[in-house]
Amino acid sequence: MKKLLNKVKRESQQTMLFATTAFYTRMERFRKEERGDAMSWVISILIMLLLFIGVYILFKAQIDTFVKDKIFGKMNSLD
């Protein structure tokens, strides 16, 4: 019985070691492969923000009129 318990304990330790090693290997590979992608995300978000600001500046009067008349005007008529 003691031999069986020692064998099970040893196998569970080996399994745990394999699982943690596999996890860290996958994490290390992910870190190396995905390392340069963050900068492109930041730049693309900044470009999108600049585009939204540019569209808002160009159509500010139309957007304000639309929001006040169409959206808030209908909300006031619901009362």
Side-chain angles (χ1 to χ4, degrees), residues 2-13:
K2 195 170 186 177
K3 283 185 177 182
L4 180 63
L5 287 175
N6 286 337
K7 183 179 180 183
V8 169
K9 187 177 178 181
R10 192 172 358 135
E11 286 178 1
S12 68
Q13 288 174 347

Side-chain angles (χ1 to χ4, degrees), residues 36-49:
D37 197 33
M39 194 60 176
S40 63
W41 276 97
V42 170
I43 290 174
S44 57
I45 289 172
L46 287 175
I47 290 172
M48 290 301 294
L49 283 173

Side-chain angles (χ1 to χ4, degrees), residues 61-73:
Q62 290 87 350
I63 292 173
D64 288 341
T65 312
F66 176 78
V67 169
K68 288 177 186 172
D69 295 342
K70 302 290 183 182
I71 296 175
F72 290 117

Side-chain angles (χ1 to χ4, degrees), residues 15-16 21 36-37 46-47 55 57 64 69-70 75 78:
T15 304
M16 184 61 109
T21 304
D37 197 33
L46 287 175
I47 290 172
V55 168
I57 288 171
D64 288 341
D69 295 342
K70 302 290 183 182
M75 288 177 68
L78 294 175

